């Protein structure tokens, strides 16, 4: 039995009906809430910040997978822990002292994740992979939902999986951006453990049914 996870991205939810959409995820087969925090500096867009995360956390009954697309993430680690983040991912490209940042995240009791932009090689993580709980492989340039999937991601996931095995690490691989029923099965076959899906879930006619189908697609015996 495989246990591949689906993490709907709240960025694509209807913010006028946020509680309704959170309850939909609670009652669906989704595994985690994916929460995108953007600062308008690291990425050319601003999403939402602490008060909205607090509102999500109040109703969410599944782990909060928080993806920080911000500069100087170290400044906010304690605050995200206090708000209830279970997994906190920082961008490789935003951290000068990544090893130190990872230890600080774990010290606050969270799982430590590292996100990689499409141009960043997985080889950059070779010396720190055993300290990382989750690598978030960006399959679009971060900043916006609804973009198309970058095909080179399959190759990256494959090389990252090889590295994790070679190093005897327990790191999970999450893929984020442009995930649909067209690439999901191949992503898990290549080595991904968790798939983020924003538009594909929330723009669907029947989001809980879409989550269910995606979940069974990625958990079919390979
Ligand atoms: C992009 C975000 C993604 C985004 C995914 O910067 O990190 O999590 O919400 O949305 P879709 O699935 O629509 O590409
Ligand atoms: Zn994300």
């Amino acid at each position: 039995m495989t246990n591949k996870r689906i993490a709907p991205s709240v960025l694509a939810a209807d913010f006028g009906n946020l509680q309704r959409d959170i309850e939909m995820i609670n009652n669906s087969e989704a595994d985690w809430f994916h929460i995108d925090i953007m600062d308008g500096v690291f990425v050319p867009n601003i999403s939402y910040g602490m008060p909205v995360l607090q509102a999500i956390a109040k109703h969410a009954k599944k782990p909060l997978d928080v993806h920080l697309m911000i500069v100087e993430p170290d400044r906010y680690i304690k605050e995200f822990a206090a708000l209830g983040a279970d997994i906190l991912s920082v961008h490789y490209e935003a951290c000068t002292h990544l090893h130190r940042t990872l230890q600080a995240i774990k010290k606050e009791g969270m799982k430590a994740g590292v996100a990689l932009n499409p141009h960043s090689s997985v080889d950059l993580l070779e010396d720190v992979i055993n300290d990382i709980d989750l690598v978030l492989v960006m399959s679009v340039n971060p900043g916006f939902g609804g973009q198309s999937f970058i095909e080179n991601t399959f190759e990256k996931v494959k090389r990252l999986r090889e590295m994790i095995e070679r190093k005897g690490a327990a790191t999970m691989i999450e893929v984020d951006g442009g995930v649909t029923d067209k690439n999901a099965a191949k992503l898990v076959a290549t080595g991904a453990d968790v798939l983020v899906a924003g538009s594909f879930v929330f723009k669907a006619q029947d989001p809980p049914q879409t989550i269910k189908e995606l979940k069974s697609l990625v958990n079919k015996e390979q």
Side-chain angles (χ1 to χ4, degrees):
M1 254 296 278
T2 58
N3 185 25
K4 305 294 185 182
R5 295 179 168 90
I6 300 296
S9 170
V10 177
L11 188 64
D14 174 356
F15 285 85
N17 289 290
L18 190 54
Q19 187 178 355
R20 180 201 66 191
D21 284 359
I22 291 167
E23 296 297 354
M24 182 280 288
I25 297 177
N26 280 339
N27 296 322
S28 76
E29 290 186 27
D31 297 276
W32 296 347
F33 284 83
H34 185 80
I35 317 274
D36 290 305
I37 308 282
M38 306 178 185
D39 66 355
V41 178
F42 181 71
V43 286
N45 193 15
I46 300 174
S47 56
Y48 49 78
M50 290 20 178
V52 173
L53 175 56
Q54 196 168 19
I56 296 169
K58 188 171 160 204
H59 300 289
K61 298 200 179 88
K62 295 177 180 182
L64 302 180
D65 169 36
V66 178
H67 175 195
L68 299 184
M69 285 159 273
I70 66 174
V71 296
E72 299 186 42
D74 303 73
R75 291 170 59 190
Y76 304 103
I77 291 172
K78 277 194 163 58
E79 208 170 333
F80 281 108
L83 285 167
D86 295 280
I87 303 143
L88 193 66
S89 295
V90 295
H91 263 266
Y92 173 86
E93 301 82 6
C95 295
T96 312
H97 302 286
L98 182 62
H99 183 272
R100 178 184 290 150
T101 304
L102 293 170
Q103 308 314 320
I105 294 172
K106 292 193 212 180
K107 192 164 161 251
E108 295 305 319
M110 297 177 286
K111 297 237 181 277
V114 178
L116 278 183
N117 275 341
H119 75 275
S120 297
S121 168
V122 298
D123 297 340
L124 295 164
L125 301 180
E126 173 101 29
D127 290 297
V128 81
I129 194 73
N130 296 83
D131 293 293
I132 304 176
D133 294 307
L134 176 137
V135 176
L136 180 43
V137 178
M138 291 307 301
S139 39
V140 297
N141 286 293
F144 304 91
Q147 303 181 80
S148 32
F149 181 84
I150 298 171
E151 294 288 321
N152 184 53
T153 308
F154 294 119
E155 174 63 25
K156 283 179 83 165
V157 170
K158 183 167 164 258
R159 285 178 31 230
L160 181 58
R161 175 55 60 201
E162 282 164 10
M163 181 201 293
I164 289 167
E165 270 162 32
R166 176 163 43 81
K167 294 282 221 168
T171 317
M172 298 179 88
I173 301 177
E174 182 174 31
V175 177
D176 184 10
V179 169
T180 69
D181 57 353
K182 304 281 181 294
N183 48 34
K186 188 168 169 192
L187 281 170
V188 299
T190 315
D193 301 293
V194 189
L195 303 183
V196 175
S199 321
F200 185 68
V201 165
F202 284 99
K203 301 260 182 296
Q205 287 264 322
D206 185 345
Q209 179 62 24
T210 301
I211 293 169
K212 187 184 167 75
E213 285 166 13
L214 213 45
K215 179 93 181 163
S216 82
L217 191 67
V218 298
N219 283 293
K220 277 213 180 94
E221 289 307 324
Q222 311 272 323

